Amino acid sequence: MDMNLMLIIVQENDAESLASAFKRSQIQATRIDAKGLVSSRKLNVFLVGTERTDEVLQLVSSNCKERAMEIEDQEYNGHMFVDVQKTIVIGGATIFILGEARLMKVKGGCCGD
């Protein structure tokens, strides 16, 4: 089986349930905090090196949902910028799958070894 590196970007609202699902399924992942540029909401990025890509995709699909959110924005009306309310869709997940990844664990010397 081929090893893939998956970068999974999810909303903070969904991150805890996804992390729990990974733990229950014994899928090793690294979780990194991030921040979105459009909505300025907190995001989490999971780095997963796995041969179980389909299983990971199913877990993401089951635990990450889209939701609508109201934001205040500014638009140019031809003369000046005006404040407007917009509804944007956030949530779900953005997933990058990088094929043919190689997983290596480096165990360096400790304490002057």
Side-chain angles (χ1 to χ4, degrees):
M1 296 182 89
D2 290 331
M3 173 76 70
N4 289 312
L5 173 61
M6 302 177 75
L7 285 78
I8 305 164
I9 305 167
V10 302
Q11 294 290 315
E12 182 181 40
N13 303 33
D14 298 324
E16 204 55 50
S17 65
L18 183 58
S20 294
F22 285 161
K23 288 176 189 175
R24 281 191 306 275
S25 298
Q26 297 181 338
I27 293 173
Q28 294 183 0
T30 298
R31 182 174 168 178
I32 302 170
D33 291 335
K35 185 176 180 182
L37 295 178
V38 174
S39 67
S40 297
R41 305 272 300 188
K42 290 183 179 178
L43 302 171
N44 281 237
V45 179
F46 289 90
L47 304 176
V48 181
T50 187
E51 296 174 339
R52 299 159 52 191
T53 304
D54 291 336
E55 183 180 349
V56 171
L57 291 172
Q58 181 58 44
L59 291 171
V60 172
S61 179
S62 299
N63 288 280
C64 302
K65 305 296 179 209
E66 285 188 337
R67 55 190 67 79
M69 175 183 166
E70 294 288 324
I71 64 165
E72 225 175 82
D73 199 9
Q74 290 192 332
E75 286 185 356
Y76 187 68
N77 68 4
H79 301 289
M80 62 185 202
F81 283 96
V82 293
D83 291 332
V84 294
Q85 287 287 113
K86 288 185 177 181
T87 302
I88 61 171
V89 176
I90 61 170
T94 301
I95 304 170
F96 297 91
I97 302 173
L98 309 172
E100 296 186 40
R102 188 169 75 173
L103 178 63
M104 295 173 50
K105 293 189 179 188
V106 177
K107 298 180 181 182
C110 175
C111 311
D113 290 343

